[in-house]
């Protein structure tokens, strides 16, 4: 099965899910992004792993790696292998001696481990095709937001009733959510569009 190599693009607070964050993974060879809603504790652990900060006591993911190292287990890769009903699934590819083992994991936990051990992160092409969002590169500048921008950022909200909207309206809302970098809401709209395609 074809795999797509990913990198961490960002970690942002989700406006549409209380206490949740959105981990944004990017395809290294295209503009596709994979937004994954994760919990606050996992977001903090990923941020700590990226910053290489070491606290006084090991976090759960540090403990996992220490345990693996003690038993000669090497984490070779993290693969996001499925996307079902809005939920992502991942596996850790582990090597012990000559044996390779796949261990089921939540993507948030698997990526928190990956940033600590430096292994690669990838997703099956089927996952990218179903759940990926194509985005142009967003350039950051020091200019304040244009107050005359015709896009009303309050038009799309977590409380919007998708059932009352057409697919075309949902596609417009998806573009708006991406432009506003509300990836949690973008993921919900994407799932609604895909759900209608299956019915």
């Amino acid at each position: 099965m074809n795999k797509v190599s990913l990198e961490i693009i960002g970690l942002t607070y989700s406006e549409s899910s209380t206490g949740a964050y959105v981990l944004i993974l990017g395809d290294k060879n295209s503009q596709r992004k994979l937004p994954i809603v994760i919990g606050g504790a996992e977001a903090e652990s990923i941020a700590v792993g990226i910053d290489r900060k070491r606290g006084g006591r090991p976090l759960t993911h540090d403990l996992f790696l220490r345990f693996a190292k003690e038993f000669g287990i090497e984490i070779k890769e993290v693969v996001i292998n499925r996307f079902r009903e809005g939920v992502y699934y991942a596996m850790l590819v582990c090597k012990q001696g000559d044996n390779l083992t796949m261990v089921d994991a939540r993507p948030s936990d698997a990526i928190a481990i990956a940033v600590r051990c430096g292994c690669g992160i990838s997703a099956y092409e089927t996952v990218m095709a179903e759940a990926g969002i194509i985005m142009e590169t967003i350039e950051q500048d020091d200019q304040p937001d244009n107050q005359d921008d015709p896009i009303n950022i309050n038009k799309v909200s977590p409380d919007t009733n998708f059932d009352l909207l057409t697919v075309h309206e949902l596609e417009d809302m998806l573009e708006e959510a991406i432009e506003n970098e509300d990836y949690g809401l973008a993921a919900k709209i994407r799932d609604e569009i895909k759900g209608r395609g299956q019915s």
Side-chain angles (χ1 to χ4, degrees):
M1 195 171 290
N2 291 339
K3 288 190 293 188
V4 175
S5 184
L6 302 174
E7 60 186 342
I8 296 173
I9 301 296
L11 188 58
T12 182
Y13 185 74
S14 173
E15 301 277 334
S16 56
S17 301
T18 304
Y21 288 77
V22 181
L23 174 67
I24 305 160
L25 302 175
D27 181 344
K28 290 183 178 179
N29 299 309
S30 79
Q31 294 177 331
R32 291 185 298 179
K33 304 290 185 284
L34 204 59
I36 303 176
V37 178
I38 64 175
E42 292 78 12
E44 179 182 357
S45 183
I46 290 170
V48 167
I50 290 171
D51 291 342
R52 300 283 192 259
K53 292 178 183 173
R54 296 293 175 197
R57 304 293 296 154
L59 295 175
T60 304
H61 300 107
D62 299 313
L63 175 62
F64 178 92
L65 280 179
R66 191 173 297 174
F67 181 88
K69 186 176 180 182
E70 285 296 321
F71 287 90
I73 300 169
E74 181 184 2
I75 311 300
K76 302 294 290 181
E77 184 182 16
V78 166
V79 180
I80 300 172
N81 61 327
R82 281 190 300 150
F83 179 73
R84 296 285 183 274
E85 298 178 2
V87 178
Y88 292 92
Y89 297 82
M91 59 185 175
L92 293 170
V93 181
C94 306
K95 184 177 182 183
Q96 186 179 36
D98 294 330
N99 298 323
L100 271 180
T101 304
M102 313 297 182
V103 178
D104 185 35
R106 296 185 307 171
S108 54
D109 289 325
I111 291 167
I113 291 167
V115 296
R116 286 167 165 77
C117 69
C119 72
I121 303 168
S122 64
Y124 286 145
E125 176 58 41
T126 52
V127 173
M128 295 301 293
E130 184 174 356
I133 296 174
I134 297 176
M135 296 175 51
E136 293 182 9
T137 303
I138 299 172
E139 295 183 8
Q140 302 291 337
D141 57 43
D142 297 325
Q143 301 300 320
D145 292 339
N146 182 356
Q147 298 301 316
D148 297 324
D149 191 332
I151 296 174
N152 177 6
I153 62 172
N154 295 319
K155 185 174 75 177
V156 181
S157 76
D159 301 322
T160 300
N161 186 347
F162 295 149
D163 294 338
L164 302 176
L165 302 172
T166 66
V167 171
H168 181 69
E169 288 171 325
L170 287 169
E171 288 170 347
D172 289 343
M173 288 174 61
L174 177 59
E175 283 184 33
E176 183 178 331
I178 291 170
E179 286 174 11
N180 293 326
E181 299 184 41
D182 188 347
Y183 300 111
L185 182 57
K188 289 180 181 179
I189 297 169
R190 175 209 59 211
D191 292 345
E192 175 69 19
I193 293 170
K194 288 190 180 295
R196 291 191 188 187
Q198 295 170 357
S199 58

